[in-house]
Amino acid sequence: MNNSAKNKNWVLLANWKDLSMQNNSTAFYLGQTILGSDGYYCSDYMNVHVYINNMYWGLYLLAEQQEVKSGRINISEPEDAETEIGYLVEYDSYYEFEDPNNGGDYTFECNYGGKYPKKENGSICEPYNIGYTIKSDINSDAQVTKISNYLYNAYLIAYYAIVENRFYKMNNTYSGLVGATLDYQNAFDCVNRYIDVQSMVDYYIISEILCDSDVDSSSWYMDCDLNPNSFKRLTFEAPWDYDTCMGIKDNQYAEGIYAANSGNPWYCLFAMSDWFMTLVSEKWAEIKEYKVFENSLNYINVYKTKYESAFKQNYDRWPKRITDGNFELF
């Protein structure tokens, strides 16, 4: 996996909600194909049978831990209490359950300054989730302040550029904005200074294809590196948690434009921009040229045949999964 990279931390995904047991693997396949084509990270994966003390526990998807490591999310790791480090952040509606004083992760809230974009139908995209969880190792409140300021101001820069055609840049500490009318010729250049727009394009396309029900609540990752020697803009990568995607969740209607009309303010905001949607169209044409959709459907069929006996063995172990179903599914 991952070119035989050696790492200590791995994850076993049960795919409990997904009777096909193919949603996560298909999502990772698309992530590696679409994000990977532009150099962004997506977990590798492999089906494995799990035995504990010679007792069979079923078929799981072995995946990589979403973490800051070389070969995974490659950003600067923390040293002492310095703030100019790399940060891995999850948009996370469960942030309130974290307690850094009791072994949990650090969190912060971001209300985007009340600057909410409009959805396709004209309604305001006011998010019900304003929480973020820092998934990389940090050790000070100053680091929380640093990344929360950067994230907040990056969003505002994008909002002003896309909605109001006003250009700003961050001050030297990323704690505020200053006017930058003369620094940029267009909105793309302004936004792309602090946000890796291509990563947003790729992640947005994946979200539209998969219609991920968590896109406006959790398991939506981003990272940036504020080390001046290895500065990396806010980058959207490391897609995760797709067991209820592709329309299988109850009351989730996966038709038409999905991600842009979700409660995710980042997607709603960028989808308002003509230049962003032009980039989406160009990337869409590229993946069509390389037959990504045909290859994905073929991948699903091959995967289904290859693991048919393994799926049966899993459900022989967990028969109630089929007879009892899952409350989130139709």
Side-chain angles (χ1 to χ4, degrees):
M1 293 175 61
N2 196 353
N3 297 317
S4 299
K6 295 181 179 180
N7 286 288
K8 294 181 178 180
N9 300 318
W10 302 85
V11 179
L12 288 171
L13 300 174
N15 290 319
W16 181 258
K17 297 178 183 179
D18 172 25
L19 282 171
S20 76
M21 302 192 76
Q22 296 187 72
N23 281 9
N24 273 312
S25 57
T26 302
F28 288 150
Y29 174 82
L30 283 167
Q32 290 182 344
T33 303
I34 298 174
L35 282 164
S37 66
D38 290 317
Y40 304 113
Y41 169 76
C42 176
S43 172
D44 207 351
Y45 59 96
M46 178 188 298
N47 272 320
V48 295
H49 288 296
V50 174
Y51 293 83
I52 302 176
N53 296 331
N54 296 320
M55 180 179 289
Y56 180 61
W57 285 88
L59 186 71
Y60 289 73
L61 192 68
L62 179 65
E64 300 183 71
Q65 175 73 32
Q66 304 289 76
E67 63 178 348
V68 176
K69 290 292 179 184
S70 176
R72 290 183 174 172
I73 299 168
N74 193 18
I75 52 179
S76 302
E77 297 188 54
E79 296 181 4
D80 300 323
E82 295 297 324
T83 60
E84 294 179 338
I85 60 172
Y87 297 88
L88 171 62
V89 178
E90 177 188 2
Y91 185 46
D92 183 17
S93 60
Y94 302 102
Y95 74 104
E96 294 177 299
F97 296 101
E98 296 286 351
D99 180 5
N101 296 317
N102 194 31
D105 295 319
Y106 283 86
T107 65
F108 60 91
E109 294 182 349
C110 186
N111 64 8
Y112 318 104
K115 304 294 185 182
Y116 303 128
K118 290 184 179 181
K119 298 183 182 181
E120 189 179 55
N121 63 7
S123 64
I124 299 297
C125 180
E126 185 170 355
Y128 71 86
N129 171 39
I130 59 171
Y132 291 85
T133 300
I134 302 174
K135 307 304 290 187
S136 51
D137 293 334
I138 64 170
N139 48 42
S140 74
D141 290 337
Q143 291 171 336
V144 178
T145 300
K146 192 79 167 186
I147 184 57
S148 62
N149 282 344
Y150 188 95
L151 209 64
Y152 176 82
N153 287 313
Y155 177 88
L156 286 186
I157 285 173
Y159 180 90
Y160 287 128
I162 292 171
V163 178
E164 301 182 9
N165 199 37
R166 291 196 289 155
F167 303 155
Y168 291 88
K169 61 183 179 182
M170 296 188 204
N171 60 23
N172 292 334
T173 61
Y174 307 121
S175 60
L177 302 182
V178 294
T181 303
L182 301 180
D183 293 353
Y184 304 107
Q185 295 184 351
N186 53 58
F188 169 83
D189 289 340
C190 178
V191 175
N192 201 48
R193 169 66 179 83
Y194 296 100
I195 298 173
D196 189 322
V197 172
Q198 187 61 54
S199 71
M200 171 63 84
V201 167
D202 292 358
Y203 214 151
Y204 172 76
I205 288 175
I206 292 171
S207 297
E208 286 291 2
I209 294 172
L210 296 172
C211 297
D212 177 26
S213 61
D214 290 335
V215 73
D216 56 2
S217 59
S218 64
S219 301
W220 197 68
Y221 287 87
M222 60 201 76
D223 58 84
C224 67
D225 197 335
L226 301 185
N227 184 327
N229 296 321
S230 55
F231 177 75
K232 179 183 179 183
R233 298 163 292 169
L234 183 63
T235 301
F236 300 88
E237 56 186 339
W240 191 252
D241 191 10
Y242 290 91
D243 54 355
T244 54
C245 70
M246 291 185 275
I248 70 170
K249 186 172 182 178
D250 196 8
N251 297 322
Q252 180 213 357
Y253 301 101
E255 296 180 358
I257 299 298
Y258 178 77
N261 289 316
S262 68
N264 185 313
W266 293 86
Y267 280 157
C268 294
L269 175 60
F270 275 84
M272 293 178 62
S273 168
D274 291 340
W275 54 261
F276 177 77
M277 296 310 291
T278 296
L279 293 173
V280 168
S281 297
E282 291 172 352
K283 183 65 179 183
W284 188 271
E286 176 188 322
I287 63 179
K288 285 184 67 177
E289 179 182 353
Y290 287 98
K291 300 186 181 301
V292 170
F293 302 115
E294 292 90 338
N295 292 340
S296 297
L297 292 172
N298 181 62
Y299 167 83
I300 291 170
N301 287 324
V302 170
Y303 194 96
K304 177 182 65 176
T305 301
K306 179 179 180 180
Y307 292 103
E308 181 178 4
S309 61
F311 294 156
K312 182 179 185 305
Q313 185 177 351
N314 177 79
Y315 287 124
D316 286 345
R317 174 65 176 84
W318 302 106
K320 285 189 175 181
R321 177 62 191 86
I322 295 178
T323 57
D324 293 1
N326 183 286
F327 73 94
E328 291 189 350
L329 308 183
F330 285 115

